[in-house]
Amino acid sequence: MPRVSDAKQKLMVAARDLIWESSYGATSVDDICVKADVRKGSFYHFFKSKSDLEIAALEADWQEKKAHYNDIFSPTVPPLQRLSDYFDLLLAKQTERQKACGAILGCPFCAVGTEVSLLDAGIREKVHDILGRLAKYFESAIRDAHAQGVINAPDARAKANLLIAYFQGTMAQARIENNLERIAGMKAGAFELLGVQPAQLAGV
Amino acid sequence: MPRVSDAKQKLMVAARDLIWESSYGATSVDDICVKADVRKGSFYHFFKSKSDLEIAALEADWQEKKAHYNDIFSPTVPPLQRLSDYFDLLLAKQTERQKACGAILGCPFCAVGTEVSLLDAGIREKVHDILGRLAKYFESAIRDAHAQGVINAPDARAKANLLIAYFQGTMAQARIENNLERIAGMKAGAFELLGVQPAQLAGV
DNA sequence: GATCCAGTTGACCAATCAGTCAACTCAGCT
DNA sequence: AGCTGAGTTGACTGATTGGTCAACTGGATC
Protein backbone atom coordinates (compact mmCIF):
# COMPACT_ATOMS: atom_id res chain seq x y z
CA MET A 1 0.00 0.00 0.00
CA PRO A 2 1.94 2.98 -1.25
CA ARG A 3 1.97 6.37 0.44
CA VAL A 4 0.63 6.95 3.87
CA SER A 5 -1.69 9.95 4.12
CA ASP A 6 -3.09 11.87 7.04
CA ALA A 7 -5.29 13.99 4.77
CA LYS A 8 -8.45 12.15 5.80
CA GLN A 9 -7.83 12.81 9.50
CA LYS A 10 -6.86 16.42 8.85
CA LEU A 11 -10.10 16.95 6.92
CA MET A 12 -12.21 15.47 9.72
CA VAL A 13 -10.55 17.60 12.40
CA ALA A 14 -10.84 20.74 10.27
CA ALA A 15 -14.51 20.01 9.58
CA ARG A 16 -15.32 19.42 13.23
CA ASP A 17 -13.63 22.64 14.32
CA LEU A 18 -14.98 24.88 11.57
CA ILE A 19 -18.54 23.59 11.81
CA TRP A 20 -18.51 23.77 15.60
CA GLU A 21 -17.21 27.34 15.46
CA SER A 22 -19.76 28.47 12.89
CA SER A 23 -22.29 26.07 11.37
CA TYR A 24 -22.61 23.26 8.86
CA GLY A 25 -24.28 25.41 6.24
CA ALA A 26 -21.87 28.31 6.61
CA THR A 27 -18.79 26.09 6.34
CA SER A 28 -17.80 25.40 2.74
CA VAL A 29 -15.82 22.48 1.40
CA ASP A 30 -13.21 25.04 0.34
CA ASP A 31 -12.96 26.38 3.89
CA ILE A 32 -12.40 22.88 5.20
CA CYS A 33 -9.78 22.14 2.56
CA VAL A 34 -7.87 25.36 3.28
CA LYS A 35 -7.87 24.73 7.04
CA ALA A 36 -6.78 21.13 6.55
CA ASP A 37 -4.21 22.15 3.90
CA VAL A 38 -5.63 19.57 1.53
CA ARG A 39 -6.67 20.11 -2.07
CA LYS A 40 -10.25 19.69 -3.24
CA GLY A 41 -9.55 16.65 -5.34
CA SER A 42 -8.18 14.85 -2.29
CA PHE A 43 -11.31 15.76 -0.38
CA TYR A 44 -13.47 13.94 -2.91
CA HIS A 45 -11.01 11.09 -3.05
CA PHE A 46 -11.72 10.33 0.62
CA PHE A 47 -15.34 11.47 0.94
CA LYS A 48 -18.09 11.27 -1.60
CA SER A 49 -19.76 14.46 -0.33
CA LYS A 50 -19.67 17.15 2.33
CA SER A 51 -22.39 15.26 4.19
CA ASP A 52 -20.31 12.08 4.04
CA LEU A 53 -17.34 13.88 5.61
CA GLU A 54 -19.50 15.32 8.38
CA ILE A 55 -20.88 11.90 9.29
CA ALA A 56 -17.34 10.50 9.47
CA ALA A 57 -16.14 13.53 11.44
CA LEU A 58 -18.93 13.16 14.01
CA GLU A 59 -18.10 9.49 14.51
CA ALA A 60 -14.37 10.25 14.83
CA ASP A 61 -15.12 12.99 17.34
CA TRP A 62 -17.19 10.59 19.42
CA GLN A 63 -14.57 7.85 19.30
CA GLU A 64 -12.04 10.28 20.67
CA LYS A 65 -14.33 11.33 23.51
CA LYS A 66 -15.49 7.81 24.26
CA ALA A 67 -12.11 6.85 25.71
CA HIS A 68 -12.30 9.64 28.30
CA TYR A 69 -15.91 8.84 29.07
CA ASN A 70 -15.11 5.19 29.69
CA ASP A 71 -12.64 6.30 32.36
CA ILE A 72 -14.94 8.85 33.93
CA PHE A 73 -17.96 6.56 33.97
CA SER A 74 -16.07 3.48 35.11
CA PRO A 75 -18.24 1.35 37.42
CA THR A 76 -15.37 1.47 39.93
CA VAL A 77 -16.12 5.16 40.49
CA PRO A 78 -19.02 6.11 42.81
CA PRO A 79 -21.98 7.05 40.57
CA LEU A 80 -22.41 10.67 41.66
CA GLN A 81 -18.66 11.11 41.37
CA ARG A 82 -18.91 10.02 37.74
CA LEU A 83 -21.41 12.73 36.98
CA SER A 84 -19.42 15.29 38.92
CA ASP A 85 -16.24 14.39 37.02
CA TYR A 86 -18.09 14.55 33.74
CA PHE A 87 -19.38 18.06 34.37
CA ASP A 88 -15.92 19.13 35.50
CA LEU A 89 -14.38 17.82 32.27
CA LEU A 90 -17.07 19.52 30.22
CA LEU A 91 -16.46 22.87 31.89
CA ALA A 92 -12.71 22.51 31.39
CA LYS A 93 -13.11 21.70 27.69
CA GLN A 94 -15.51 24.55 27.05
CA THR A 95 -13.27 26.98 28.92
CA GLU A 96 -10.34 25.84 26.81
CA ARG A 97 -12.31 26.34 23.60
CA GLN A 98 -13.48 29.74 24.77
CA LYS A 99 -9.88 30.83 25.20
CA ALA A 100 -8.99 29.51 21.74
CA CYS A 101 -11.86 30.96 19.76
CA GLY A 102 -13.47 33.58 21.96
CA ALA A 103 -16.89 32.00 22.28
CA ILE A 104 -18.82 29.28 24.03
CA LEU A 105 -19.53 26.59 21.45
CA GLY A 106 -21.82 24.18 23.31
CA CYS A 107 -22.36 20.61 22.18
CA PRO A 108 -20.97 19.92 18.67
CA PHE A 109 -23.38 17.04 18.11
CA CYS A 110 -26.51 18.82 19.23
CA ALA A 111 -25.67 22.01 17.34
CA VAL A 112 -25.21 20.34 13.98
CA GLY A 113 -28.09 17.97 14.67
CA THR A 114 -30.52 20.79 15.30
CA GLU A 115 -29.34 22.60 12.20
CA VAL A 116 -29.47 19.86 9.59
CA SER A 117 -31.84 17.22 10.95
CA LEU A 118 -34.52 18.27 8.50
CA LEU A 119 -32.15 18.45 5.54
CA ASP A 120 -29.83 15.49 5.85
CA ALA A 121 -31.10 12.16 7.13
CA GLY A 122 -27.61 10.66 7.33
CA ILE A 123 -26.27 13.34 9.66
CA ARG A 124 -29.50 13.31 11.66
CA GLU A 125 -29.24 9.59 12.30
CA LYS A 126 -25.57 9.82 13.24
CA VAL A 127 -26.23 12.57 15.75
CA HIS A 128 -29.24 10.70 17.14
CA ASP A 129 -27.11 7.59 17.49
CA ILE A 130 -24.24 9.38 19.25
CA LEU A 131 -26.53 11.21 21.68
CA GLY A 132 -28.08 7.84 22.49
CA ARG A 133 -24.65 6.46 23.36
CA LEU A 134 -23.99 9.39 25.68
CA ALA A 135 -27.32 8.79 27.40
CA LYS A 136 -26.22 5.27 28.30
CA TYR A 137 -23.48 6.65 30.56
CA PHE A 138 -25.96 8.82 32.41
CA GLU A 139 -28.46 6.01 32.67
CA SER A 140 -26.10 3.52 34.27
CA ALA A 141 -24.73 6.12 36.70
CA ILE A 142 -28.28 6.96 37.75
CA ARG A 143 -29.22 3.30 38.09
CA ASP A 144 -26.18 2.66 40.27
CA ALA A 145 -26.86 5.75 42.36
CA HIS A 146 -30.43 4.58 42.94
CA ALA A 147 -29.24 1.07 43.87
CA GLN A 148 -26.88 2.58 46.42
CA GLY A 149 -29.68 4.70 47.81
CA VAL A 150 -28.00 8.07 47.21
CA ILE A 151 -30.83 9.20 44.95
CA ASN A 152 -34.39 8.09 44.37
CA ALA A 153 -34.81 7.10 40.71
CA PRO A 154 -36.79 3.89 40.31
CA ASP A 155 -36.97 4.52 36.55
CA ALA A 156 -33.33 5.18 35.64
CA ARG A 157 -34.06 5.50 31.93
CA ALA A 158 -36.68 8.20 32.47
CA LYS A 159 -34.45 10.09 34.88
CA ALA A 160 -31.56 9.89 32.43
CA ASN A 161 -33.79 11.36 29.72
CA LEU A 162 -34.64 14.21 32.05
CA LEU A 163 -30.98 14.83 32.78
CA ILE A 164 -29.88 14.58 29.14
CA ALA A 165 -32.57 17.03 28.04
CA TYR A 166 -31.53 19.47 30.76
CA PHE A 167 -27.91 19.00 29.74
CA GLN A 168 -28.54 19.61 26.04
CA GLY A 169 -30.79 22.56 26.72
CA THR A 170 -28.17 24.15 28.94
CA MET A 171 -25.46 23.63 26.31
CA ALA A 172 -27.70 25.26 23.70
CA GLN A 173 -28.35 28.22 26.01
CA ALA A 174 -24.65 28.57 26.73
CA ARG A 175 -23.96 28.78 22.99
CA ILE A 176 -26.78 31.20 22.26
CA GLU A 177 -25.91 33.43 25.20
CA ASN A 178 -22.16 32.95 24.82
CA ASN A 179 -22.27 32.34 28.55
CA LEU A 180 -19.86 30.06 30.34
CA GLU A 181 -21.78 30.46 33.60
CA ARG A 182 -24.53 28.25 32.23
CA ILE A 183 -22.03 25.43 31.95
CA ALA A 184 -20.37 26.25 35.26
CA GLY A 185 -23.74 25.98 36.99
CA MET A 186 -24.76 22.77 35.30
CA LYS A 187 -23.39 20.41 37.93
CA ALA A 188 -25.46 22.02 40.68
CA GLY A 189 -28.51 22.04 38.41
CA ALA A 190 -28.05 18.38 37.56
CA PHE A 191 -27.80 17.37 41.20
CA GLU A 192 -30.83 19.46 42.08
CA LEU A 193 -32.71 17.79 39.25
CA LEU A 194 -31.69 14.37 40.57
CA GLY A 195 -32.80 15.32 44.06
CA VAL A 196 -29.38 14.71 45.54
CA GLN A 197 -29.21 15.62 49.22
CA PRO A 198 -26.33 18.01 49.92
CA ALA A 199 -25.06 15.52 52.51
CA GLN A 200 -24.43 13.02 49.72
CA LEU A 201 -22.08 15.46 48.03
CA ALA A 202 -19.40 15.57 50.70
CA GLY A 203 -16.08 15.34 48.92
CA VAL A 204 -17.60 15.43 45.42
CA MET B 1 -49.33 57.26 2.19
CA PRO B 2 -50.00 55.62 -1.13
CA ARG B 3 -50.39 51.86 -1.67
CA VAL B 4 -50.92 49.41 1.11
CA SER B 5 -48.66 46.38 0.91
CA ASP B 6 -48.66 43.07 2.72
CA ALA B 7 -45.35 42.05 1.15
CA LYS B 8 -43.42 42.67 4.36
CA GLN B 9 -45.70 40.40 6.37
CA LYS B 10 -45.70 37.74 3.66
CA LEU B 11 -41.90 37.74 3.63
CA MET B 12 -41.69 37.35 7.40
CA VAL B 13 -44.15 34.46 7.47
CA ALA B 14 -42.40 32.73 4.56
CA ALA B 15 -39.00 33.18 6.23
CA ARG B 16 -40.22 31.80 9.55
CA ASP B 17 -41.75 28.74 7.91
CA LEU B 18 -38.91 27.96 5.51
CA ILE B 19 -36.16 28.45 8.08
CA TRP B 20 -38.04 26.45 10.70
CA GLU B 21 -38.57 23.63 8.22
CA SER B 22 -34.95 23.54 7.08
CA SER B 23 -32.37 26.00 8.43
CA TYR B 24 -31.24 29.60 8.15
CA GLY B 25 -28.20 28.77 6.05
CA ALA B 26 -30.06 26.47 3.70
CA THR B 27 -32.86 28.95 3.06
CA SER B 28 -32.03 31.44 0.33
CA VAL B 29 -33.48 34.88 -0.20
CA ASP B 30 -34.83 33.57 -3.51
CA ASP B 31 -36.62 30.71 -1.72
CA ILE B 32 -38.24 33.17 0.66
CA CYS B 33 -39.27 35.47 -2.20
CA VAL B 34 -40.82 32.61 -4.20
CA LYS B 35 -42.77 31.32 -1.19
CA ALA B 36 -43.98 34.82 -0.33
CA ASP B 37 -44.72 35.60 -3.99
CA VAL B 38 -42.69 38.77 -3.72
CA ARG B 39 -39.92 39.91 -6.05
CA LYS B 40 -36.33 40.31 -4.93
CA GLY B 41 -36.33 44.06 -5.30
CA SER B 42 -39.26 44.33 -2.91
CA PHE B 43 -37.39 42.16 -0.41
CA TYR B 44 -34.55 44.65 -0.29
CA HIS B 45 -36.97 47.53 -0.21
CA PHE B 46 -38.30 46.31 3.15
CA PHE B 47 -35.21 44.65 4.60
CA LYS B 48 -31.60 45.65 4.25
CA SER B 49 -30.36 42.07 4.43
CA LYS B 50 -31.39 38.46 4.98
CA SER B 51 -30.25 38.79 8.59
CA ASP B 52 -32.40 41.89 8.99
CA LEU B 53 -35.46 40.01 7.77
CA GLU B 54 -34.79 37.12 10.13
CA ILE B 55 -34.54 39.43 13.13
CA ALA B 56 -37.85 41.04 12.19
CA ALA B 57 -39.44 37.63 11.53
CA LEU B 58 -38.38 36.32 14.95
CA GLU B 59 -39.87 39.35 16.66
CA ALA B 60 -43.10 39.06 14.67
CA ASP B 61 -43.32 35.36 15.51
CA TRP B 62 -42.92 36.13 19.20
CA GLN B 63 -45.49 38.92 19.14
CA GLU B 64 -48.01 36.51 17.68
CA LYS B 65 -47.31 33.90 20.35
CA LYS B 66 -47.18 36.40 23.17
CA ALA B 67 -50.94 37.00 23.00
CA HIS B 68 -51.66 33.30 23.59
CA TYR B 69 -49.08 33.10 26.35
CA ASN B 70 -50.59 36.05 28.17
CA ASP B 71 -53.87 34.16 28.31
CA ILE B 72 -52.33 30.86 29.35
CA PHE B 73 -50.09 32.39 32.01
CA SER B 74 -52.72 34.75 33.36
CA PRO B 75 -52.31 35.15 37.16
CA THR B 76 -55.98 34.22 37.45
CA VAL B 77 -55.11 30.66 36.43
CA PRO B 78 -53.64 28.31 39.09
CA PRO B 79 -49.86 28.17 38.48
CA LEU B 80 -49.53 24.46 37.71
CA GLN B 81 -52.55 24.76 35.44
CA ARG B 82 -50.68 27.43 33.49
CA LEU B 83 -47.77 25.11 32.86
CA SER B 84 -50.08 22.24 32.01
CA ASP B 85 -51.97 24.40 29.51
CA TYR B 86 -48.73 25.60 27.98
CA PHE B 87 -47.45 22.08 27.36
CA ASP B 88 -50.83 21.10 25.93
CA LEU B 89 -50.72 24.02 23.49
CA LEU B 90 -47.16 23.17 22.54
CA LEU B 91 -48.05 19.57 21.80
CA ALA B 92 -51.05 20.65 19.74
CA LYS B 93 -48.98 23.10 17.69
CA GLN B 94 -46.20 20.60 17.02
CA THR B 95 -48.71 17.92 16.07
CA GLU B 96 -50.34 20.34 13.65
CA ARG B 97 -46.96 21.20 12.09
CA GLN B 98 -46.07 17.54 11.85
CA LYS B 99 -49.20 16.90 9.84
CA ALA B 100 -48.44 19.84 7.57
CA CYS B 101 -44.78 19.16 6.86
CA GLY B 102 -44.13 15.59 7.97
CA ALA B 103 -41.58 16.31 10.67
CA ILE B 104 -41.19 17.55 14.23
CA LEU B 105 -39.69 21.02 14.03
CA GLY B 106 -39.00 21.86 17.67
CA CYS B 107 -38.47 25.41 18.88
CA PRO B 108 -38.02 27.91 16.00
CA PHE B 109 -36.07 30.33 18.21
CA CYS B 110 -33.69 27.81 19.70
CA ALA B 111 -33.02 26.09 16.36
CA VAL B 112 -31.98 29.24 14.56
CA GLY B 113 -30.19 30.55 17.63
CA THR B 114 -28.04 27.45 17.91
CA GLU B 115 -27.24 27.59 14.22
CA VAL B 116 -26.23 31.19 13.76
CA SER B 117 -25.25 32.48 17.20
CA LEU B 118 -21.57 32.39 16.26
CA LEU B 119 -22.11 34.01 12.87
CA ASP B 120 -24.67 36.75 13.37
CA ALA B 121 -24.68 38.81 16.55
CA GLY B 122 -27.98 40.49 15.69
CA ILE B 123 -29.91 37.24 15.39
CA ARG B 124 -28.15 35.84 18.44
CA GLU B 125 -29.23 38.76 20.59
CA LYS B 126 -32.80 38.65 19.32
CA VAL B 127 -33.08 34.93 20.11
CA HIS B 128 -31.47 35.44 23.50
CA ASP B 129 -33.90 38.24 24.21
CA ILE B 130 -36.99 36.26 23.19
CA LEU B 131 -35.98 33.18 25.17
CA GLY B 132 -35.53 35.45 28.17
CA ARG B 133 -39.10 36.72 27.75
CA LEU B 134 -40.40 33.15 27.67
CA ALA B 135 -38.50 32.36 30.85
CA LYS B 136 -40.39 35.12 32.66
CA TYR B 137 -43.67 33.21 32.24
CA PHE B 138 -42.15 30.08 33.75
CA GLU B 139 -40.54 32.03 36.56
CA SER B 140 -43.70 33.70 37.72
CA ALA B 141 -45.71 30.49 37.52
CA ILE B 142 -43.09 28.74 39.64
CA ARG B 143 -42.98 31.60 42.13
CA ASP B 144 -46.75 31.52 42.50
CA ALA B 145 -46.76 27.73 42.84
CA HIS B 146 -44.17 27.97 45.60
CA ALA B 147 -46.14 30.69 47.38
CA GLN B 148 -49.22 28.48 47.31
CA GLY B 149 -47.20 25.57 48.67
CA VAL B 150 -47.89 23.20 45.77
CA ILE B 151 -44.17 22.93 44.97
CA ASN B 152 -40.98 23.69 46.86
CA ALA B 153 -38.95 26.25 44.94
CA PRO B 154 -37.53 28.95 47.22
CA ASP B 155 -35.39 30.20 44.29
CA ALA B 156 -37.97 30.59 41.52
CA ARG B 157 -35.46 32.02 39.06
CA ALA B 158 -33.09 29.06 39.41
CA LYS B 159 -35.94 26.57 39.12
CA ALA B 160 -37.22 28.34 36.02
CA ASN B 161 -33.76 28.09 34.48
CA LEU B 162 -33.77 24.37 35.18
CA LEU B 163 -37.18 24.00 33.58
CA ILE B 164 -36.36 26.15 30.55
CA ALA B 165 -33.16 24.20 29.90
CA TYR B 166 -35.07 20.92 30.14
CA PHE B 167 -37.71 22.33 27.84
CA GLN B 168 -35.25 23.52 25.22
CA GLY B 169 -33.24 20.33 25.37
CA THR B 170 -36.38 18.26 24.88
CA MET B 171 -37.44 20.35 21.90
CA ALA B 172 -34.00 19.90 20.35
CA GLN B 173 -34.18 16.14 20.90
CA ALA B 174 -37.65 16.01 19.40
CA ARG B 175 -36.35 17.76 16.28
CA ILE B 176 -33.24 15.63 15.96
CA GLU B 177 -35.12 12.38 16.56
CA ASN B 178 -38.21 13.52 14.67
CA ASN B 179 -40.06 12.21 17.69
CA LEU B 180 -43.35 13.65 18.87
CA GLU B 181 -43.26 11.44 21.97
CA ARG B 182 -40.54 13.63 23.44
CA ILE B 183 -42.95 16.55 23.38
CA ALA B 184 -45.89 14.46 24.53
CA GLY B 185 -43.90 13.36 27.57
CA MET B 186 -42.63 16.83 28.42
CA LYS B 187 -45.46 17.78 30.79
CA ALA B 188 -44.83 14.74 32.99
CA GLY B 189 -41.08 15.41 32.87
CA ALA B 190 -41.56 19.03 33.81
CA PHE B 191 -43.74 18.17 36.80
CA GLU B 192 -41.29 15.51 37.92
CA LEU B 193 -38.51 18.07 37.64
CA LEU B 194 -40.51 20.51 39.75
CA GLY B 195 -41.17 17.83 42.35
CA VAL B 196 -44.93 18.12 42.01
CA GLN B 197 -46.77 15.57 44.14
CA PRO B 198 -49.24 13.56 42.02
CA ALA B 199 -51.97 14.59 44.45
CA GLN B 200 -51.48 18.21 43.36
CA LEU B 201 -52.29 17.26 39.80
CA ALA B 202 -55.89 16.21 40.28
CA GLY B 203 -57.89 17.76 37.50
CA VAL B 204 -54.83 19.16 35.68
C1' DG C 1 13.04 -1.07 -13.80
C1' DA C 2 8.33 -1.85 -15.16
C1' DT C 3 3.96 -1.97 -13.17
C1' DC C 4 0.52 -0.69 -9.95
C1' DC C 5 -2.50 2.26 -7.62
C1' DA C 6 -3.64 5.09 -3.48
C1' DG C 7 -3.12 9.59 -3.12
C1' DT C 8 -2.45 14.42 -5.14
C1' DT C 9 -3.15 18.45 -7.92
C1' DG C 10 -5.37 22.54 -9.80
C1' DA C 11 -8.14 23.85 -13.37
C1' DC C 12 -12.81 23.62 -14.36
C1' DC C 13 -18.14 23.49 -14.27
C1' DA C 14 -23.02 24.74 -13.82
C1' DA C 15 -25.78 26.32 -10.26
C1' DT C 16 -26.71 29.23 -6.77
C1' DC C 17 -25.75 32.87 -3.58
C1' DA C 18 -26.78 37.73 -1.42
C1' DG C 19 -27.32 41.96 -2.94
C1' DT C 20 -27.94 46.04 -6.63
C1' DC C 21 -30.22 49.00 -9.68
C1' DA C 22 -32.71 51.89 -12.96
C1' DA C 23 -37.00 51.94 -14.68
C1' DC C 24 -41.71 51.56 -13.68
C1' DT C 25 -46.57 51.67 -11.29
C1' DC C 26 -50.10 53.73 -9.02
C1' DA C 27 -52.90 55.59 -4.98
C1' DG C 28 -53.32 59.96 -2.55
C1' DC C 29 -52.51 64.82 -2.34
C1' DT C 30 -52.61 69.65 -4.04
C1' DA D 1 -54.28 67.20 -14.19
C1' DG D 2 -49.87 66.72 -12.41
C1' DC D 3 -46.73 65.75 -8.78
C1' DT D 4 -44.95 62.75 -5.07
C1' DG D 5 -42.98 58.82 -3.21
C1' DA D 6 -43.81 54.18 -1.32
C1' DG D 7 -43.90 50.01 -3.46
C1' DT D 8 -42.76 46.88 -7.57
C1' DT D 9 -40.25 44.65 -11.18
C1' DG D 10 -36.85 41.67 -13.39
C1' DA D 11 -32.55 41.80 -15.26
C1' DC D 12 -28.03 41.98 -13.58
C1' DT D 13 -23.44 41.34 -10.89
C1' DG D 14 -19.45 39.21 -8.90
C1' DA D 15 -18.53 35.91 -5.61
C1' DT D 16 -19.13 31.40 -3.94
C1' DT D 17 -21.18 26.95 -3.89
C1' DG D 18 -20.58 21.56 -4.08
C1' DG D 19 -18.71 18.61 -7.05
C1' DT D 20 -15.83 16.72 -11.38
C1' DC D 21 -11.91 15.38 -13.92
C1' DA D 22 -7.74 14.10 -16.43
C1' DA D 23 -3.23 14.29 -15.57
C1' DC D 24 0.24 13.49 -12.36
C1' DT D 25 3.30 11.60 -8.24
C1' DG D 26 5.85 8.38 -5.80
C1' DG D 27 6.46 4.46 -2.68
C1' DA D 28 5.79 -0.57 -2.76
C1' DT D 29 5.73 -4.97 -5.24
C1' DC D 30 7.18 -8.19 -8.73
Side-chain angles (χ1 to χ4, degrees):
Chain A
M1 209 168 280
R3 287 218 229 182
V4 285
S5 170
D6 61 345
K8 192 171 180 176
Q9 279 66 37
K10 287 196 293 183
L11 285 167
M12 290 192 292
V13 170
R16 186 244 281 152
D17 286 351
L18 286 175
I19 291 169
W20 199 13
E21 289 169 15
S22 60
S23 74
Y24 179 78
T27 303
S28 73
V29 173
D30 284 314
D31 292 339
I32 296 168
C33 287
V34 167
K35 173 134 188 173
D37 192 30
V38 166
R39 255 45 60 196
K40 239 228 202 100
S42 292
F43 181 106
Y44 285 97
H45 174 73
F46 290 108
F47 304 102
K48 70 178 213 288
S49 67
K50 181 185 171 186
S51 165
D52 195 50
L53 161 69
E54 176 59 7
I55 292 170
L58 288 167
E59 182 62 36
D61 194 9
W62 170 258
Q63 290 300 331
E64 196 187 315
K65 284 168 174 154
K66 189 184 159 185
H68 296 102
Y69 294 173
N70 282 340
D71 288 342
I72 289 176
F73 285 92
S74 164
T76 61
V77 178
L80 294 186
Q81 183 73 48
R82 296 175 217 169
L83 293 171
S84 175
D85 289 349
Y86 177 72
F87 289 119
D88 285 343
L89 174 72
L90 210 72
L91 178 59
K93 290 283 181 190
Q94 292 282 328
T95 306
E96 185 187 302
R97 279 279 159 183
Q98 186 188 35
K99 272 172 191 151
C101 83
I104 303 299
L105 302 183
C107 170
F109 304 116
C110 201
V112 72
T114 304
E115 179 186 350
V116 304
S117 57
L118 276 102
L119 299 165
D120 191 306
I123 296 177
R124 203 199 82 224
E125 280 159 28
K126 177 58 73 179
V127 170
H128 184 176
D129 188 23
I130 287 174
L131 292 179
R133 296 180 215 169
L134 181 62
K136 293 271 181 242
Y137 290 104
F138 283 72
E139 188 180 331
S140 87
I142 288 170
R143 188 170 288 114
D144 289 348
H146 175 75
Q148 294 183 15
V150 292
I151 64 168
N152 177 40
D155 187 343
R157 182 102 168 276
K159 197 65 100 177
N161 276 336
L162 214 68
L163 185 58
I164 283 275
Y166 165 69
F167 161 66
Q168 282 175 16
T170 302
M171 294 294 272
Q173 280 182 322
R175 182 177 168 99
I176 292 169
E177 299 174 9
N178 189 31
N179 183 3
L180 187 63
E181 291 306 306
R182 291 275 181 202
I183 294 169
M186 193 156 43
K187 196 202 283 190
F191 283 149
E192 184 185 341
L193 184 148
L194 291 173
V196 177
Q197 303 302 321
Q200 301 286 355
L201 292 176
V204 171
Chain B
M1 210 167 280
R3 286 219 228 182
V4 284
S5 171
D6 60 346
K8 192 170 181 177
Q9 280 66 36
K10 287 197 293 183
L11 285 167
M12 290 193 291
V13 170
R16 186 244 282 152
D17 286 351
L18 286 175
I19 291 168
W20 198 13
E21 289 169 14
S22 60
S23 73
Y24 179 78
T27 303
S28 73
V29 173
D30 284 313
D31 292 339
I32 296 168
C33 287
V34 167
K35 174 134 185 171
D37 192 29
V38 166
R39 256 47 60 196
K40 238 227 200 99
S42 292
F43 182 106
Y44 286 97
H45 174 74
F46 290 109
F47 304 101
K48 71 177 210 293
S49 67
K50 182 184 170 186
S51 165
D52 195 50
L53 161 69
E54 176 58 8
I55 293 170
L58 288 167
E59 181 63 35
D61 194 9
W62 169 260
Q63 290 300 332
E64 197 187 316
K65 283 166 175 156
K66 188 183 160 185
H68 296 102
Y69 295 172
N70 282 340
D71 288 342
I72 288 176
F73 286 92
S74 165
T76 60
V77 178
L80 294 186
Q81 183 71 49
R82 296 175 217 169
L83 293 170
S84 176
D85 289 349
Y86 177 72
F87 289 119
D88 285 341
L89 174 72
L90 211 71
L91 178 59
K93 291 282 181 191
Q94 292 283 328
T95 305
E96 184 186 304
R97 280 276 160 185
Q98 185 188 35
K99 273 174 191 152
C101 83
I104 304 299
L105 303 183
C107 170
F109 305 116
C110 200
V112 73
T114 304
E115 179 186 349
V116 306
S117 58
L118 277 103
L119 300 165
D120 190 306
I123 296 177
R124 202 200 82 223
E125 280 159 29
K126 178 56 75 178
V127 170
H128 183 174
D129 188 22
I130 288 174
L131 292 179
R133 296 179 214 168
L134 181 63
K136 294 271 182 242
Y137 290 104
F138 283 72
E139 188 180 329
S140 86
I142 288 170
R143 187 170 290 114
D144 289 349
H146 176 75
Q148 294 182 15
V150 291
I151 64 169
N152 177 40
D155 187 344
R157 181 102 169 275
K159 197 64 101 176
N161 276 336
L162 213 67
L163 185 58
I164 283 275
Y166 165 69
F167 162 66
Q168 281 176 16
T170 302
M171 294 296 272
Q173 281 182 322
R175 183 177 167 98
I176 291 169
E177 299 174 8
N178 190 31
N179 183 2
L180 187 65
E181 291 306 305
R182 292 274 182 204
I183 295 169
M186 193 156 44
K187 195 202 286 188
F191 282 150
E192 184 184 343
L193 185 147
L194 292 173
V196 176
Q197 304 302 321
Q200 301 288 354
L201 292 174
V204 173

